Amino acid sequence: MRAVRLHGQGPDTLVVEEVTTPRPASGEALVEVSAAAITRDELEWPQDRLPAIPSYELAGTVDGEPVYALTPFDRDGVAAEFAAVRQDLLAPRPQALDAVQSAAVPLPALSAWQGLFDHGALTAGQRVLITGAAGGVGNFATQLALRRGAHVIGAASAARADAVRRLGADEVVDSAGFSDGLAPVDLVFDTVGGELLERSVALVREGGRLVSVAEEPPTDARVATRYFVVEPRREPLVEITALIEAGHVRPAIDSVFPLDDARAAFERSMATGKAGKVVFSVAED
Ligand SMILES: NC(=O)c1ccc[n+]([C@@H]2O[C@H](COP(=O)([O-])OP(=O)(O)OC[C@H]3O[C@@H](n4cnc5c(N)ncnc54)[C@H](OP(=O)(O)O)[C@@H]3O)[C@@H](O)[C@H]2O)c1
């Protein structure tokens, strides 16, 4: 089968090549991949097991049935014509979405779900600040937090502010100066890291939480801070699918590439100013 493989550091070391089609182990299914989405910085994740197939979220078919999933980060990903995926991770695809749109859901939506609700313990009526609110994870975090009944403050660069407003955020603040005059929040959900993450700690109320999916946050005696790695899981993906079918949540697609343009796709994923996820279209289904 054709697959994208990473041979070193960075997009320049990506090669589209023929590799052996995986043979599903017990409990796995062979998925014919229709589309696979990618995430900023993910080429840093498999550096201890090269060459490695990148991309950890797919939409495809098993025996003609449309499925989608987030796949584990400790083995080859899904930027290929086929992928062996644990059956207990595969969920039926939303009928409202095509394959490219579906592939853009599992990783950011599960990251948002787990960050807000499992680690952030967000409940209705609480105030949450979401950094990178127009990004891959931030897009879902904004929509899921609103759906939960939280008061959502989305932080984004000025160019992305309108995109966050369109998602329905209660307040939109500029990443460059968002701490000015903002009342304390119960939760910061950070998807950007760096200086923005450092600045946002001071905005959490005493006893509140700061959860980052981007990097380890600084410790602060007043606040519970945590970094987490998203876990592939089917059950919350089924709940997210129901929200998509009901029209409450939708993915954002920045751009679509064929596998042959893997380097350009990853370069795009690392750029600022994207309007959502970068997705490989692999095959019609
Ligand atoms: N730990 C985990 O399990 C896990 C899971 C998912 C994602 N992640 C990581 O979390 C981060 C966010 O993922 P994502 O898919 O939401 O990414 P993304 O859409 O590329 O980025 C989120 C936001 O960060 C800002 N940004 C984008 N590119 C940037 C760059 N090159 N430098 C600095 N800021 C940039 C943008 O905000 P503005 O346009 O508003 O400036 C963007 O909306 C990534 O680092 C990703 O690797 C980790």
Side-chain angles (χ1 to χ4, degrees):
M1 67 169 185
R2 284 170 63 251
V4 178
R5 289 208 302 177
L6 177 72
H7 288 263
Q9 286 195 347
D12 289 349
T13 71
L14 290 164
V15 181
V16 182
E17 54 195 340
E18 281 292 326
V19 300
T20 308
T21 301
R23 292 187 37 185
S26 170
E28 293 180 345
L30 187 65
V31 181
E32 194 165 352
V33 180
S34 307
I38 61 180
T39 302
R40 173 159 71 86
D41 300 335
E42 69 155 83
L43 296 182
E44 296 167 15
W45 303 344
Q47 286 295 325
D48 57 347
R49 53 176 178 80
L50 299 176
I53 299 176
S55 173
Y56 304 93
E57 53 189 332
L58 86 174
T61 53
V62 177
D63 298 330
E65 288 298 314
V67 293
Y68 74 154
L70 170 65
T71 65
F73 300 130
D74 60 355
R75 55 183 282 183
D76 268 338
V78 298
E81 290 176 310
F82 294 91
V85 181
R86 262 172 42 206
Q87 277 163 338
D88 66 347
L89 297 179
L90 292 168
R93 255 160 53 188
Q95 291 178 2
L97 302 185
D98 63 21
V100 163
Q101 293 167 324
S102 298
V105 172
L107 191 148
L110 285 171
S111 300
W113 184 281
Q114 292 171 21
L116 292 172
F117 306 136
D118 298 345
H119 302 291
L122 183 70
T123 54
Q126 288 190 324
R127 289 167 57 82
V128 57
L129 170 70
I130 298 168
T131 66
V137 178
N139 165 66
F140 279 103
T142 302
Q143 296 178 78
L144 290 173
L146 286 166
R147 187 72 201 149
R148 190 55 68 101
H151 179 92
V152 177
I153 304 152
S157 55
R160 310 293 307 134
D162 278 346
V164 183
R165 269 186 211 103
R166 281 196 296 275
L167 293 174
D170 298 291
E171 297 177 53
V172 182
V173 292
D174 189 334
S175 304
F178 70 72
S179 52
D180 305 341
L182 202 62
V185 297
D186 300 286
L187 172 68
V188 167
F189 181 45
D190 168 65
T191 76
V192 177
E195 187 256 338
L196 199 53
L197 167 58
E198 281 176 28
R199 267 197 287 139
S200 61
V201 183
L203 297 174
V204 184
R205 68 162 168 82
E206 175 111 32
R209 298 180 188 223
L210 183 149
V211 174
S212 179
V213 76
E215 67 183 51
E216 198 70 54
T219 52
D220 186 303
R222 303 165 38 256
V223 173
T225 60
R226 179 180 297 185
Y227 166 77
F228 76 102
V229 174
V230 61
E231 284 181 30
R233 288 193 47 217
R234 180 181 191 278
E235 295 74 21
L237 189 54
V238 169
E239 290 193 55
I240 290 159
T241 308
L243 291 173
I244 293 170
E245 298 288 30
H248 299 312
V249 176
R250 59 184 186 274
I253 311 294
D254 174 78
S255 43
V256 183
F257 293 83
L259 286 183
D260 283 331
D261 290 345
R263 291 183 186 181
F266 274 92
E267 274 157 15
R268 179 65 192 160
S269 79
M270 292 189 272
T272 53
K274 296 190 301 293
K277 294 283 291 185
V278 179
V279 186
F280 287 119
S281 179
V282 182
E284 297 285 321
D285 68 14

